[in-house]
Structures are given as C-alpha cells and as structure tokens.
Amino acid sequence: MAIRLAVVGLGKIAQDQHLPAIAASADFELVCAASLQGESPRGHTYRAVDAMFAAEPSIEAVSLCQPPQVRFEAARAALLAGKHVLLEKPPGATLSEVVALTELAQEKGLTLFAAWHSRHAPAVTPACHWLEGKTIRSATITWREDVRIWHPGQKWIWQPGGLGVFDPGINALSIATKILPPFHLTEGILSYPSNQAAPIAADLRFATFDGVPVIADFDFRQTGPQTWDIRVETEEGVLLLSKGGSEMRIDGVAQSLPHEAEYPSLYARFAELIAAGESEVDVRPLRHVADAFLRAGHVEVEAFVEEEPGRQTVPA
Amino acid sequence: MAIRLAVVGLGKIAQDQHLPAIAASADFELVCAASLQGESPRGHTYRAVDAMFAAEPSIEAVSLCQPPQVRFEAARAALLAGKHVLLEKPPGATLSEVVALTELAQEKGLTLFAAWHSRHAPAVTPACHWLEGKTIRSATITWREDVRIWHPGQKWIWQPGGLGVFDPGINALSIATKILPPFHLTEGILSYPSNQAAPIAADLRFATFDGVPVIADFDFRQTGPQTWDIRVETEEGVLLLSKGGSEMRIDGVAQSLPHEAEYPSLYARFAELIAAGESEVDVRPLRHVADAFLRAGHVEVEAFVEEEPGRQTVPA
C-alpha cells in the first residue's frame, strides 16, 4: 500500500522536483496539497495546513517545501496530527526549532526526515567509498551560480532566515559533511548587497580537527558557465566532484556513475525510514551555516536588483 | 589532593573571577598560567600553551579564559595532552568546534566543562524549583548594560566571533534555558554600529514549543542604572530575577537567597565532574545566539567609539 502523502508549498522546488518524484514513486500516493498559491495535480488544494489536516484525516505523511521561515509551524502541526514529515533543505530557519521538532517526532514515534537532496547526487556515495582510508591534504568547495537563473522571483531567499547564497551553499555543505571528516569554521567573510538582508557571496575557511584546510567559495553572481565543484586533494590522488555531484573525476579521469535521481532517491529513503520507524535529522550542514553567520565578518557590496537594469530602461 | 590547574588567558575575567575563586578553592591548586600578557600569581607565566604543557607535565586541568576566537586551539591542545578542560562562556566561536571538542573529550575519557557562570547565580536554582509545575504565560528578558563600564578595552568583543551584546546576553540565555521550557527564535533585529562587526543591541522574539512568548531585549548602550532582569509571568504569580540572578521576587516580595558565589560554585562543579569522570556541555545558549545571527534582520545604528567624544575633543 502506497503511503498517503500531502505536499505543502507548491513553489518552484515542489513543481520542479517533488511532484514528478512523487508521481513516479510506488511508495507514495499524492492525496492533496496545501499552498498559498498554485494547484495540486491531484486532490484538493487547501490554503491552510490545519484545514487540510482537519478535512483529510487519511493523510499519513507530508512533504514540506515552503520557504524555511514558515516551515516550523507546519511541521509542528503535522507531527501533532500524527503525520510523518519530510523537510526540504534547509530543515528550518533556526537550529533550535529543528531540535524541537526532532524531540517531538521521537516522543510521538513518527518519522522526521531532514532531507539533503544533494547527498543523493550520483557521485556522493562513490566519493565516500573512494576517500575511505585516504589521507586528505585539502578540500576546496566552489559553488558559483547565477541567482537570476536559479532563484527567479524568490524574494524569501533575501529576507532574514532566507540564507541568501547559503541556500545553494548548504547543498555543497551537505555533500562535504558526508564525504569529509568533521570540520569547523575558522574564519570567513560574508558579502551583503547594500539593499538585501542575506549574503550574495561567502568566502569561508574551515579546518578539520587535525588542521586540514577546507575552503569554500559561494557566489550568487556567476554569469556564464556555472560551477558546483568539490575538489579533494589526497596523498593518493585528486577527487573532483562537479555539476553538484553528478560527475566525478579521479586524477582527471571521468568515472562512470548511475543516472541522476536525487529526488526519487530522497523519497525512497523517506519510505524506508517510515517503514523502519526511524528519523534522520543531520543538522551539520545548517550548523555550519549558523556558524558562518555567527563567526564570519561582513562586507557591503553592490546592491542586488533582480531585474537587470537594461530591461527596465524605457527607450528614449 | 588538590587538582593541579593552569589558567590560560589572564584577562579581565581571569583576574576578576577565576584567580580569586581558584585561590579560595580546596579542590584546585594553581600551578602556572599561559597568557600573552600579565603574570600568574603563582608559578611561571608561559606565552604559549604548547610550551606550558611541554614544561609542566604535572598539570591535570586547565581553565580557558581567553576570547572565544582563539579558544579552540588551546582546548584541543589541552585535551590531546590529557588535561581536563573548563571553557569560559561562550564555549567557542562556533558550535561545530564545541561539538568537535566534546567528541574528543569523550574519546579521551577527559572532562570537558562548558561553564555558564550565570547559572550559578543564587536565584537560579530557587527559580527552577518555584517554576516547577506552574503554567507560564510569558517571559521577558531585559539585559541592558553599559559596555564602557563592563568591557573596557575589550576590542575582541567587537570583532567577528566576539558576539558584541551577546557576550552578556548569552548569560541571560544560559539562565533562561535552565529555568524555562525549550524555546526557539521566531524573529529578531540586531543593531550593528556603523563601524563595528558585532551587534550593540538585539531585540529577539522567541516562543516555546506551545507558543508561549519569550522576549529578549539586549542592549550595550545603557547608561545610569543597569538592568539584568528575567521576568516570568505564570498563572500562579510573577517571578522576577534581577541583578543577573542575584535577587528574586515572587509577586513583588523579595526572597531570601544564599550569597553570590558564581565562580566558586563553577569550580566546585568542575571538581565534581572530574571526580565523576563526566563532561557537561550544554550548547543551547550558544545555539540561540547562532540562531539569532542566522535568523534575525540587521539594522545599522550610530558608530560606537569606546572613548566618549567629549574626552577626545581638543579645547578650542
């Protein structure tokens, strides 16, 4: 029997990834959705989570795909209503709320799954295997994308708690925390546009416990070719993950990998956790982001306006 | 036998609190110190931690009293050298480094004590007892002090990782996390002086899991009377902790309390933990601060210069 699922928040990530993955999954059946905007491809679309739970008691699980600033209340309501919960990344707007939800899920015997989709990229598990037992000299994370292409109209990303460039950067950190030994921030600089409440770029220096450098360069201002690379230098050779973990090279040689299936793999994992009666909440990627906000210096940079100036110009 | 202790960082807090508490303690014996400046009242003063550990193998425990930005390396060196460690508050400049130290202490079978001195204020335990079983309606934290009086010349407090007004504010949070049910930040504003890298004030709104409001007002710009109050409204009456937890009133009636002995009590607890072979690391106060940096908005306020303008004016 498929698990009866509702989606909350029919924004870009739900449309692009969640709905297709759910439609293709034998483990889940979409029952309905709750969203301020948009329409569910199946069942009714509620405008409030509480109304949805009241009207559709057969829902067994929910996927929360809204911006992080409003996710806690929906997660709390879902757990109190006895539903299993998948949290899109980042799992919350604060660490403390994620800890509180984790405790509630445990108390209620429900599954809470803090999903890190990038960990399900094709190269991540092979990279873990290749790095096993090797001596790492350094790691460099370069995550540079054009915010206008990948986050069109997502105003929440620039608001407090929206994380700015850490919204993609946390994907890199979710992979790095999976494949590298533990590391912690030692210094950094966050670049804030003069008109925005979240950073557009971050230069971060981490170190492993033994002092191995882990450098991260996150930038939302990349035009032209986009870069989502993690390069790990070891005494035994160089590992390069590129395109967000969908390609992998060892000493320059491309490795054969399974096809990309991040979200189908996430949902398979969610079903597995529900069947096992377990939760999976790894806060480390979000903790690194919180540490960066706590520890790094700030610089002010050029204002960011989503519409390029040229487009707004009225011809003379 | 007294535990052979070294102090690292002979700054203001070591001079004002640690050294007198150690001198008065039967549990500890000061062996020496390591500090860039100042002289230990007993034994040699080393200028580097590694040199101290090499020269004085009999040291059993260390108290780390330096600014948080440089504490990790000393804590790591101490644990690797087999010493028990007391961390002044905040326990680190990032959450991840505190977690890493906790894991190392556990691996080595050593005591790591993340000390929150304000939890040892006279009213804290009585407040816990009084609140037990009562229904809380709201809590208000007001922590307003004059930075020029309490942090003279402490430039590190304004640097990234120095926490600004959260340096005292985290004391309030250490009490609040002890006496109140779990809460998390829902919104806030941090006020940054135009010339400083850390906030001079913070207005924070937290909520307990059940939505009970916990409001915090931290300000470094208080002149005249200073305020370090936590007020808890319950259905059964009003609890007021004032003067940083050294006074307590219930419905306006002053309660009789033991004498102030925060640091002697800290050292008694450190000795107890060492004897029991246990660690005590509660990261919640620092997690709330990290959450505030992660989640709150920023506003720019008047520049802060430690010397008052009047003093620098050359008479005409």
Side-chain angles (χ1 to χ4, degrees):
Chain A
M1 275 283 278
I3 299 160
R4 295 173 59 80
L5 180 78
V7 168
V8 181
L10 294 172
K12 182 169 166 52
I13 194 66
Q15 302 290 349
D16 291 354
Q17 298 288 352
H18 289 263
L19 295 176
I22 295 162
S25 168
D27 296 318
F28 292 94
E29 172 194 353
L30 183 67
V31 176
C32 59
S35 187
L36 294 176
Q37 296 182 314
E39 295 298 328
S40 176
R42 288 190 58 180
H44 190 68
T45 308
Y46 297 86
R47 298 304 172 200
V49 167
D50 288 335
M52 178 177 76
F53 290 138
E56 309 251 9
S58 74
I59 296 167
E60 295 168 274
V62 293
S63 275
L64 303 186
C65 306
Q66 326 97 296
Q69 294 98 327
V70 298
R71 207 172 291 147
F72 173 79
E73 286 301 334
R76 176 181 182 274
L79 291 169
L80 290 175
K83 319 301 182 192
H84 305 293
V85 174
L86 179 153
L87 298 167
E88 238 306 347
K89 46 75 41 170
T94 66
L95 289 161
S96 301
E97 73 187 51
V98 178
V99 171
L101 292 173
T102 306
E103 289 169 358
L104 181 65
Q106 187 162 22
E107 192 186 307
K108 296 274 178 190
L110 293 165
T111 292
L112 180 67
F113 179 30
W116 299 108
H117 65 83
S118 291
R119 286 189 176 171
H120 295 256
V124 174
T125 300
C128 287
H129 291 317
W130 188 81
L131 284 167
E132 223 170 87
K134 297 203 167 60
T135 303
I136 297 172
R137 285 185 187 146
S138 70
T140 310
I141 303 168
T142 310
W143 224 254
R144 303 175 69 98
E145 66 180 43
D146 187 340
V147 64
R148 289 186 175 87
I149 294 175
W150 301 99
H151 302 278
Q154 294 183 344
K155 292 200 192 314
W156 60 267
I157 221 167
W158 295 110
Q159 290 162 358
L163 303 188
V165 76
F166 286 99
D167 183 74
I170 204 169
N171 296 337
L173 291 168
S174 76
I175 297 176
T177 48
K178 180 90 177 172
I179 69 172
L180 298 175
F183 53 85
H184 62 274
L185 191 75
T186 57
E187 56 182 331
I189 295 287
L190 309 186
S191 298
Y192 281 75
S194 55
N195 62 336
Q196 301 291 356
I200 198 163
D203 287 292
L204 305 169
R205 179 171 286 267
F206 301 87
T208 69
F209 201 78
D210 295 322
V212 173
V214 178
I215 308 299
D217 164 8
F218 299 155
D219 206 315
F220 249 167
R221 297 166 298 190
Q222 180 89 340
T223 53
Q226 308 280 294
T227 307
W228 298 283
D229 286 1
I230 299 179
R231 182 187 156 90
V232 187
E233 290 212 24
T234 76
E235 290 189 359
E236 295 85 357
V238 176
L239 172 76
L240 176 66
L241 301 192
S242 53
K243 298 190 179 170
S246 62
E247 295 182 3
M248 171 168 153
R249 284 169 190 270
I250 292 167
D251 292 330
V253 179
Q255 307 292 303
S256 149
L257 294 174
H259 286 296
E260 191 284 313
E262 291 185 18
Y263 280 80
S265 170
L266 270 193
Y267 277 92
R269 180 70 183 141
F270 189 29
E272 200 174 270
L273 288 167
I274 292 171
E278 288 172 7
S279 283
E280 185 177 299
V281 183
D282 181 353
V283 299
R284 288 179 300 161
L286 185 59
R287 197 166 67 205
H288 284 304
V289 175
D291 281 343
F293 280 88
L294 181 69
R295 179 69 181 86
H298 290 190
V299 293
E300 188 174 301
V301 296
E302 202 184 345
F304 172 78
V305 279
E306 182 158 3
E307 287 297 317
E308 287 165 35
R311 295 191 196 159
Q312 295 183 308
T313 304
V314 177
Chain B
M1 276 279 279
I3 299 159
R4 295 173 59 79
L5 180 78
V7 168
V8 181
L10 295 171
K12 183 169 165 52
I13 194 67
Q15 301 290 348
D16 290 355
Q17 299 288 351
H18 288 263
L19 295 175
I22 295 162
S25 169
D27 296 317
F28 292 94
E29 174 195 350
L30 184 67
V31 177
C32 60
S35 187
L36 294 176
Q37 296 182 314
E39 295 298 328
S40 176
R42 290 191 56 183
H44 191 66
T45 308
Y46 297 86
R47 299 303 173 201
V49 167
D50 288 335
M52 178 177 78
F53 290 137
E56 310 251 9
S58 74
I59 296 167
E60 295 168 276
V62 293
S63 275
L64 303 187
C65 307
Q66 325 99 296
Q69 294 97 327
V70 298
R71 207 171 290 147
F72 172 79
E73 286 301 334
R76 176 181 182 274
L79 291 169
L80 289 175
K83 319 301 183 191
H84 305 292
V85 174
L86 179 152
L87 299 167
E88 238 304 349
K89 47 71 45 168
T94 65
L95 288 162
S96 301
E97 73 187 52
V98 178
V99 171
L101 294 173
T102 307
E103 289 169 357
L104 181 64
Q106 188 163 20
E107 192 185 306
K108 297 272 178 193
L110 293 165
T111 291
L112 180 67
F113 179 29
W116 298 109
H117 65 82
S118 291
R119 287 189 177 172
H120 296 257
V124 175
T125 300
C128 287
H129 292 317
W130 188 80
L131 283 168
E132 223 170 270
K134 297 203 167 60
T135 304
I136 297 171
R137 285 185 187 145
S138 68
T140 311
I141 304 168
T142 311
W143 224 254
R144 302 175 69 98
E145 66 181 43
D146 186 340
V147 64
R148 290 186 175 87
I149 294 174
W150 300 99
H151 302 276
Q154 294 183 345
K155 291 201 193 310
W156 60 267
I157 221 167
W158 296 110
Q159 290 161 359
L163 301 189
V165 75
F166 285 99
D167 183 75
I170 204 169
N171 295 337
L173 291 169
S174 76
I175 297 177
T177 47
K178 181 90 178 170
I179 69 174
L180 298 175
F183 52 86
H184 62 275
L185 190 74
T186 56
E187 56 181 331
I189 295 288
L190 310 185
S191 298
Y192 281 75
S194 56
N195 62 336
Q196 302 290 357
I200 198 163
D203 287 292
L204 305 169
R205 179 171 287 265
F206 301 87
T208 69
F209 202 79
D210 296 321
V212 172
V214 178
I215 308 298
D217 164 9
F218 300 155
D219 206 315
F220 249 167
R221 297 165 299 189
Q222 179 89 339
T223 54
Q226 308 282 292
T227 307
W228 298 282
D229 286 0
I230 299 179
R231 182 187 155 89
V232 187
E233 289 211 28
T234 76
E235 289 188 0
E236 296 85 358
V238 176
L239 172 76
L240 176 66
L241 302 192
S242 53
K243 298 189 180 171
S246 63
E247 296 183 1
M248 171 168 152
R249 285 170 192 270
I250 292 168
D251 293 329
V253 180
Q255 307 292 305
S256 148
L257 294 173
H259 286 296
E260 192 283 314
E262 291 184 19
Y263 280 80
S265 170
L266 270 193
Y267 277 92
R269 179 70 184 139
F270 189 29
E272 201 173 87
L273 288 167
I274 292 171
E278 287 172 8
S279 285
E280 185 176 298
V281 182
D282 181 353
V283 299
R284 289 178 300 161
L286 185 60
R287 198 165 65 204
H288 283 304
V289 175
D291 281 343
F293 280 88
L294 180 69
R295 179 69 180 86
H298 291 189
V299 293
E300 188 174 301
V301 297
E302 204 184 345
F304 172 78
V305 280
E306 182 157 2
E307 288 296 319
E308 287 165 37
R311 294 191 196 157
Q312 295 183 308
T313 304
V314 177

